[in-house]
């Protein structure tokens, strides 16, 4: 019998019917399909005009504004909405276009052909429309019944990408997660649980001596972060030695693993890259796999950027041996030119898919339908609620076909080669490597800088880059090579042309000449920072 302790229950005040009706009216306006139709048409017109202006090079690449000014402006927009008494309909319709235009005017224009900076693409525009379907209707995943079509789309793409890797159907498993960093963490968590028995339940301290992870010397920082999160500790991450092309050296890796075995150190995983971020170096995966197999070590391949080269008949050789990886990360929001974020994690052995997380959640997973576990993404991913991250890729592939992805790789990789040849033909630019893909690192070294000390040469590159991007003419990034600062491009817009690349060199010369004419010298703080590279 349930007793009612009335003294503990607060009385509910009588509803203000007028206020309630007003609130409902405002909500109906916010959800009104007709208002959405008007806004969507306006949105389409504004975005089409924006893409046209950007692709015609009529705008700045980066709309640079100091952070404090942008934050203040964003707050002013928050304070400019309709009054509480308004039904929201006319103001929302009138104001929508202004809000969208403000977003476009202050954003970074990745569709500008002179955006050649980070490994973030100018996505195929129509992909955003497919993504928007999932956003507007809030298609989410964790269990199949919440996102049946999103799950089906994800599984279909996993099947097709696994075929590109070269694995037999039904032998492998995969999942989609929010980014390559989370993908690396997920795959390495699986490796830890497989290699360190009982570590999921009892922690890594219960498994004996401190385990080790070996990573490519130029590997992404997310791998050290993963080691910290997984309880291995960042100091357990050893850098594998590189060859003259900054690729993981299989012979030295073999020696390193042999030495660790003599010391009775356990290795959770070796992480190879396809390709590494600084200069786009692809590791010799077949030879690395031989070494890992000989030592019984888990091989994880970070192919976040370069995985898409598997679509290219000209470039898929760069990933020869990738089918022997135990796990693999591949970002569609890089070289498959999808909007962020859409990252795939693969396991060569399908049995490993449930080793990542060993938990029960009866409020989510239905024990009356155990066969659904294979289609409940929450069993495989760190996320519970997860957006339908594959809609853009599935829709674009369905519309344009697989050839689109080969073309995107071939064109941008070729532009990397073109840029390298332009650099080589000059006497004031120095390419720092022969590119294997669309990533090229280089320096601008005018005659007066040829005898400059490394810290001054570094500071000069950084100052060039800062002034260039703030001008809005181009967007490139900085890196270091051999401990000395450098410039770096990732040609990740297929509409970039040879003329754009020539203009980049001209712009850097112009800025460099102005700097030196005005007596530029490396600031002390910059020299100190460079000395730590």
């Amino acid at each position: 019998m349930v007793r009612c302790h009335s003294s503990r229950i607060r009385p509910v005040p009588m509803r203000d019917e007028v206020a309630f009706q007003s609130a409902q009216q405002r909500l109906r306006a916010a959800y009104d399909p007709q208002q959405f139709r008007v806004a969507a048409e306006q949105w389409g017109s504004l975005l089409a005009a924006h893409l046209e202006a950007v692709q015609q090079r009529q705008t700045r690449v980066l709309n640079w504004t100091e952070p404090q000014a942008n934050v203040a402006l964003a707050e002013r927009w928050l304070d400019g909405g309709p009054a509480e008494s308004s039904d929201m309909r006319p103001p929302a319709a009138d104001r929508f276009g202004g809000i969208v235009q403000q977003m476009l005017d202050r954003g970074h224009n990745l569709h500008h052909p002179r955006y050649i900076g980070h490994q973030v693409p100018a996505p195929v525009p129509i992909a955003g429309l497919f993504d928007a379907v999932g956003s507007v209707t809030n298609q989410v995943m964790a269990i199949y019944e919440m996102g049946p079509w999103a799950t089906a789309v994800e599984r279909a793409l996993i099947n097709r990408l696994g075929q590109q890797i070269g694995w037999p159907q039904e032998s492998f498993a995969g999942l989609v997660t929010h980014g390559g960093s989370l993908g690396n963490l997920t795959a390495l968590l699986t490796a830890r649980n497989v290699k360190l028995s009982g570590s999921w339940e009892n922690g890594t301290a219960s498994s004996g001596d401190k385990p080790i992870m070996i990573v490519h010397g130029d590997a992404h920082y997310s791998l050290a972060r993963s080691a910290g999160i997984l309880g291995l500790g960042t100091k357990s991450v050893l850098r594998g030695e590189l060859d003259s092309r900054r690729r993981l050296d299989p012979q030295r890796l073999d020696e390193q693993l042999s030495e660790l075995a003599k010391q009775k150190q356990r290795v959770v995983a070796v992480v190879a890259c396809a390709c590494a971020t600084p200069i786009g170096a692809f590791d010799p995966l077949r030879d690395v796999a031989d070494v890992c197999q000989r030592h019984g070590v888990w091989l994880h391949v970070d192919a976040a950027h370069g995985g898409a080269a598997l679509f290219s008949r000209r470039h898929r050789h760069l990933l020869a041996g990738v089918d022997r990886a135990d796990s693999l990360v591949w970002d569609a929001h890089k070289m498959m030119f999808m909007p962020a974020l859409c990252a795939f994690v693969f396991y060569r052995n399908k049995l490993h898919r449930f080793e990542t997380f060993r938990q029960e959640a009866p409020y989510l997973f239905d024990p009356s339908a155990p066969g659904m576990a294979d289609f409940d993404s929450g069993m495989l991913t760190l996320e519970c609620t997860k957006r339908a991250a594959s809609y853009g890729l599935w829709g674009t592939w369905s519309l344009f076909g697989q050839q689109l992805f080969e073309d995107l790789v071939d064109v941008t990789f070729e532009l990397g080669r073109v840029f390298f040849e332009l650099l080589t033909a000059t006497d004031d630019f120095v390419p720092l490597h022969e590119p294997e893909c669309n990533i090229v690192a280089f320096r601008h070294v005018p005659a007066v800088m040829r005898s400059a000390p490394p810290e001054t040469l570094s500071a000069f590159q950084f100052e060039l880059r800062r002034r260039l991007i703030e001008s809005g003419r181009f967007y490139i990034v900085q890196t270091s090579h051999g401990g000395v600062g450098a410039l770096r491009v990732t040609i990740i817009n297929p509409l970039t042309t040879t003329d754009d690349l020539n203009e980049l060199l001209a712009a850097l010369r112009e800025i460099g000449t102005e700097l030196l004419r005005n007596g530029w010298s490396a600031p002390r703080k910059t020299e100190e920072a460079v000395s730590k590279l």
Side-chain angles (χ1 to χ4, degrees):
M1 178 177 179
V2 178
R3 296 180 181 271
C4 179
H5 301 282
S6 57
S7 62
R8 299 180 183 178
I9 300 175
R10 293 183 178 181
V12 179
M14 291 187 63
R15 185 171 68 198
D16 183 335
E17 192 62 33
V18 173
F20 181 74
Q21 292 294 336
S22 294
Q24 281 198 319
Q25 184 178 1
R26 289 192 294 271
L27 290 171
R28 280 193 293 269
Y31 281 79
D32 182 8
Q34 294 309 313
Q35 179 164 266
F36 175 80
R37 182 192 301 276
V38 171
E41 291 172 353
Q42 194 174 14
W43 176 91
S45 296
L46 289 169
L47 264 292
H50 169 77
L51 289 171
E52 185 173 7
V54 167
Q55 291 179 16
Q56 294 299 319
R57 304 164 180 79
Q58 296 170 2
T59 68
R60 294 159 59 94
V61 182
L62 171 62
N63 292 304
W64 174 258
T65 306
E66 291 294 334
Q68 297 87 344
N70 265 340
V71 172
L73 179 57
E75 288 188 352
R76 287 201 295 275
W77 276 93
L78 292 176
D79 296 331
E84 286 187 17
S85 60
S86 169
D87 68 2
M88 291 183 65
R89 188 179 304 268
D94 293 343
R95 189 171 171 79
F96 176 82
I99 295 171
V100 172
Q101 192 62 56
Q102 179 70 86
M103 296 165 71
L104 297 174
D105 289 345
R106 291 281 174 149
H108 202 158
N109 293 324
L110 274 65
H111 285 92
H112 197 299
R114 296 182 178 181
Y115 170 86
I116 44 177
H118 288 291
Q119 292 159 268
V120 182
V124 178
I126 285 178
L129 300 182
F130 293 116
D131 264 355
V133 175
S135 296
V136 172
T137 63
N138 205 21
Q139 300 300 303
V140 299
M141 305 170 67
I143 55 174
Y144 175 77
E145 64 192 53
M146 277 299 294
W149 188 244
T151 303
V153 160
E154 186 171 297
R155 183 58 61 86
L157 290 167
I158 287 167
N159 290 342
R160 293 299 179 88
L161 294 178
Q163 291 171 16
Q164 291 295 321
I165 294 169
W167 288 327
Q169 191 71 25
E170 301 303 325
S171 70
F172 63 91
L175 58 102
V176 174
T177 190
H178 290 126
S181 295
L182 189 53
N184 280 327
L185 174 63
T186 303
L188 292 171
L189 174 57
T190 308
R192 188 204 71 175
N193 292 346
V194 171
K195 291 296 181 179
L196 304 180
S197 179
S199 58
W200 173 260
E201 294 82 4
N202 304 311
T204 56
S206 66
S207 56
D209 295 334
K210 189 174 181 179
I212 298 296
M213 188 164 70
I214 300 174
V215 305
H216 181 290
D218 285 338
H220 194 263
Y221 67 84
S222 65
L223 296 166
R225 282 188 176 181
S226 295
I229 295 169
L230 296 176
L232 306 178
T234 58
K235 291 184 178 179
S236 71
V237 178
L238 304 182
R239 295 280 171 173
E241 293 190 57
L242 306 181
D243 63 18
S244 60
R245 294 166 59 185
R246 302 203 68 75
R247 306 179 307 166
L248 194 59
D249 188 311
Q251 181 176 343
R252 292 177 182 174
L253 175 64
D254 194 13
E255 295 167 357
Q256 190 174 19
L257 288 170
S258 296
E259 184 60 31
L260 289 169
K262 288 179 183 178
Q263 299 171 9
K264 300 191 182 304
Q265 291 273 12
R266 290 166 307 151
V267 179
V268 173
V270 166
V271 181
C273 292
C275 53
T277 298
I279 65 168
F282 285 78
D283 287 336
L285 297 178
R286 187 178 287 124
D287 294 338
V288 171
D290 285 342
V291 173
C292 289
Q293 183 177 354
R294 186 157 54 249
H295 289 270
V297 173
W298 182 287
L299 173 59
H300 173 67
V301 176
D302 184 347
H305 185 81
L310 289 169
F311 283 105
S312 169
R313 285 163 287 189
R314 292 179 57 194
H315 299 291
R316 66 174 293 119
H317 68 276
L318 294 169
L319 288 103
V322 72
D323 57 308
R324 296 175 59 191
D326 293 288
S327 58
L328 169 75
V329 166
W330 178 349
D331 288 356
H333 60 268
K334 286 188 170 64
M335 288 303 297
M336 292 185 78
F337 287 75
M338 291 298 106
L341 291 165
C342 180
F344 289 80
V345 180
F346 290 97
Y347 303 112
R348 177 164 55 89
N349 184 345
K350 189 175 185 178
L351 297 178
H352 289 148
R353 70 195 185 284
F354 293 134
E355 290 296 318
T356 321
F357 306 103
R358 303 170 184 166
Q359 292 174 288
E360 294 182 3
Y363 53 87
L364 268 185
F365 307 115
D366 185 355
S368 69
M372 286 292 100
D374 253 336
F375 298 96
D376 292 339
S377 66
M379 301 286 286
L380 310 177
T381 63
L382 186 61
E383 305 100 325
C384 180
T385 301
K386 185 182 79 174
R387 66 182 290 270
S390 300
Y391 270 6
L393 177 58
W394 174 80
T396 303
W397 194 329
S398 300
L399 184 64
F400 293 105
Q402 183 175 312
Q403 181 64 44
L404 174 69
F405 306 116
E406 181 173 28
D407 292 342
L408 287 166
V409 169
D410 286 351
V411 167
T412 53
F413 278 29
E414 181 63 23
L415 285 168
R417 167 60 60 174
V418 168
F419 187 56
F420 170 75
E421 292 172 354
L422 292 176
L423 293 168
T424 303
T426 71
D427 58 6
D428 57 343
F429 286 92
V430 179
L432 301 178
H433 61 102
E434 186 171 350
E436 293 187 88
C437 60
N438 54 337
I439 298 173
V440 185
F442 66 103
R443 294 191 186 101
H444 178 38
V445 187
V448 296
M449 294 291 292
R450 288 174 189 164
S451 58
E455 61 271 15
T456 300
L457 185 59
S458 294
F460 183 64
Q461 309 306 310
F462 296 158
E463 185 67 19
L464 283 175
R465 184 253 174 188
R466 171 53 51 188
R467 296 199 180 202
L468 178 69
I469 68 167
E470 290 186 7
S471 74
R473 296 164 67 181
F474 283 87
Y475 186 82
I476 63 175
V477 299
Q478 76 285 329
T479 188
S480 65
H481 189 81
V484 181
L487 303 172
R488 175 177 169 275
V489 301
T490 303
I491 303 173
I492 201 158
N493 185 331
L495 303 183
T496 299
T497 66
T498 301
D499 286 345
D500 292 317
L501 300 176
N502 272 315
E503 284 295 323
L504 171 62
L505 301 186
L508 289 169
R509 284 193 185 102
E510 178 185 321
I511 295 170
T513 299
E514 182 181 356
L515 281 173
L516 297 171
R517 183 188 301 124
N518 294 332
W520 174 88
S521 61
R524 178 174 297 276
K525 286 185 178 180
T526 303
E527 289 183 358
E528 292 173 353
V530 170
S531 69
K532 297 177 182 179
L533 288 174

